[in-house]
Amino acid sequence: MVETSSRLLFAAFLLYLTGTLLFGGAIRTPKKGQAGGAGPQKTKWGNFAIFATAAGFICQAGYFITRWIASGHAPVSNLFEFTTFFGMMLVGAFMVIYFLYRSAVLGLFALPVALLLIAYASMFPKDINPLVPSLRSYWLQIHVTTAAAGEAILAVSFAAGLIYLVKSTDQQKSNWQTFWLEFVMLCLICIAGFIVAKSTFGLFHYKVDFSWIDRNGAKNTGGNALVYHMPAVIGPHDGEILTAGRMKPWFYVPAFINAVKLNTVLWSVFSGMILYALVRLAARKRIGALLKPLTKNLNLDLMDEIGYRSVLIGFPVFTLGALIFAMIWAQIAWSKFWSWDPKEVWALVTWLFYAAFLHLRMSRGWQGEKSAWLAVIGFAIILFNLIAVNLVIAGLHSYA
């Protein structure tokens, strides 16, 4: 069953990749006698693309169901499971938006984000383990799936906002718009950098063990030693290297920081910057300028509407899953509905940000470029919660 589940996830990944390429064909294929336009060829490519995407979604839904059967619980209990589910919900949200607006360029930007999420998730342990006691509740599937669905709908607003900015930003100038747009591209490439770095060191079976002192002052060694699968730039609190012939850390961090995961983040940034530099050298232009031709025949008002509608729908879903259901479950599990855990704090930050987004949009008229930037910043907060908070800061949600 587990093997079948893995094959279905891999098939979904390939079909999403195929859908992305086909959406590219839908954008680039012009109508006869006209540059651009929604001609028969574009419609055909668009139909092929959404069919491949839907087939991938069905495969991933099959992965979700078979893994649920194999594990006996909703497969959203660790970082691998949650992030793959997040990617699936993003594809599902995109398909709904596509059938409403028929925007092929949205698929060309939204599907690669889902592909990055699934590839990112595949770098983490995929083993099925028994649930920790605090997760043995039907609230697991209620809270986590609803929160992920809300974030996925909000992620569609990011794709629409990014498209808007790529289209509207003048790449012939060097200003704060081009700088920050390029920074967004670098951050996305850093996720790919993590995948490359993790896969590369995995091929060589790199491993180094550290003994360390935890927050309670206890020394952890032997079976409790920290295991690194990348060279240790950052060492654990009062750490001692146990594996001969390995690089010594450049510096050490306090016990409340997960040194292994912070080390992984640094390697991701380093690898991402190398990838970014290689792309820039090959293209001899900014990433934003490289993507701009894809938005040539784009209606900016349409992207603005899609971004706004996505937040308008995603915000209440996220509120329900990430805050209301979370607080109910926390009260049941820990006898208090709020504990200022890092994950809870950043869920609140996310909620407050999108509440401000809607307020500024409706009362201050922040449309167009301002709204697009807010959508991009909002998704950056979601990714920070998913990546940095999960990987670096220890808390009640560290099992995720």
Side-chain angles (χ1 to χ4, degrees):
M1 186 70 72
V2 175
E3 186 176 348
T4 300
S5 176
S6 299
R7 288 176 178 174
L8 286 169
L9 183 60
F10 183 66
F13 184 89
L14 293 180
L15 285 165
Y16 294 154
L17 182 60
T18 302
T20 303
L21 297 175
L22 290 172
F23 276 123
I27 291 171
R28 290 181 175 275
T29 304
K31 184 179 179 180
K32 288 185 178 180
Q34 182 182 354
Q41 287 296 318
K42 292 188 74 171
T43 301
K44 182 180 73 172
W45 281 102
N47 289 339
F48 287 155
I50 195 63
F51 177 81
T53 304
F57 183 82
I58 292 170
C59 286
Q60 193 167 0
Y63 142 80
F64 185 77
I65 293 170
T66 52
R67 189 173 177 92
W68 191 331
I69 294 172
S71 63
H73 59 79
V76 289
S77 61
N78 56 43
L79 201 54
F80 165 71
E81 294 176 342
F82 175 83
T83 309
T84 52
F85 181 76
F86 181 20
M88 182 175 74
M89 289 293 97
L90 173 53
V91 174
F94 155 71
M95 287 195 300
V96 172
I97 296 294
Y98 179 82
F99 284 119
L100 291 174
Y101 294 98
R102 294 289 176 176
S103 175
V105 70
L106 186 65
L108 200 55
F109 280 73
L111 287 182
V113 176
L115 287 168
L116 271 179
L117 288 171
I118 296 171
Y120 170 80
S122 69
M123 298 296 106
F124 295 94
K126 307 175 187 64
D127 299 334
I128 295 177
N129 297 312
L131 291 175
V132 298
S134 59
L135 292 182
R136 294 171 188 167
S137 169
Y138 58 86
W139 283 102
L140 171 67
Q141 48 263 37
I142 297 174
H143 156 55
V144 181
T145 56
T146 311
E151 291 181 340
I153 300 169
L154 294 171
V156 174
S157 73
F158 161 74
L162 188 61
I163 294 168
Y164 190 103
L165 294 173
V166 169
K167 169 72 173 180
S168 63
T169 301
D170 185 358
Q171 292 293 335
Q172 302 301 319
K173 300 178 180 179
S174 294
N175 49 34
W176 72 266
Q177 287 98 335
T178 55
F179 173 82
W180 285 111
L181 180 59
E182 205 64 12
F183 180 76
V184 171
M185 302 301 178
L186 173 60
C187 291
L188 292 174
I189 291 176
C190 282
I191 299 176
F194 164 76
I195 297 165
V196 171
K198 185 85 171 178
S199 301
T200 301
F201 288 112
L203 288 174
F204 294 98
H205 304 288
Y206 187 93
K207 180 182 176 184
V208 56
D209 296 335
F210 278 86
S211 64
W212 63 293
I213 306 297
D214 62 22
R215 285 184 290 181
N216 299 318
K219 185 172 183 177
N220 293 269
T221 188
N224 293 323
L226 285 181
V227 181
Y228 285 67
H229 294 286
M230 295 182 181
V233 177
I234 294 176
H237 179 58
D238 287 339
E240 295 180 11
I241 192 166
L242 302 177
T243 307
R246 298 301 190 190
M247 183 183 82
K248 293 183 178 180
W250 297 355
F251 55 92
Y252 296 82
V253 294
F256 69 88
I257 295 178
N258 190 314
V260 175
K261 293 179 179 179
L262 179 57
N263 188 70
T264 301
V265 170
L266 289 184
W267 271 104
S268 302
V269 172
F270 178 68
S271 303
M273 292 180 70
I274 293 176
L275 287 177
Y276 174 80
L278 292 174
V279 173
R280 285 293 302 268
L281 286 172
R284 297 181 180 275
K285 60 177 70 175
R286 300 187 186 99
I287 307 295
L290 195 63
L291 296 176
K292 196 175 182 69
L294 301 176
T295 65
K296 182 178 180 181
N297 301 301
L298 179 70
N299 185 330
L300 284 177
D301 290 337
L302 177 62
M303 284 300 110
D304 184 56
E305 181 182 348
I306 291 174
Y308 172 58
R309 296 291 181 185
S310 298
V311 175
L312 206 59
I313 298 170
F315 179 71
V317 177
F318 179 81
T319 301
L320 194 64
L323 291 181
I324 297 175
F325 290 160
M327 289 189 288
I328 293 173
W329 189 13
Q331 180 65 38
I332 295 171
W334 300 319
S335 299
K336 53 183 178 180
F337 69 88
W338 193 265
S339 58
W340 295 105
D341 179 69
K343 194 79 172 178
E344 296 174 350
V345 170
W346 279 96
L348 179 60
V349 169
T350 305
W351 184 86
L352 289 172
F353 179 86
Y354 280 104
F357 176 106
L358 292 174
H359 170 73
L360 291 170
R361 174 89 187 197
M362 292 185 286
S363 66
R364 298 298 180 91
W366 280 34
Q367 300 180 357
E369 184 177 351
K370 289 181 179 179
S371 181
W373 277 114
L374 289 176
V376 169
I377 295 170
F379 187 65
I381 295 172
I382 290 174
L383 285 186
F384 182 85
N385 198 2
L386 175 68
I387 298 173
V389 176
N390 274 325
L391 294 186
V392 178
I393 306 173
L396 295 172
H397 292 78
S398 295
Y399 48 75

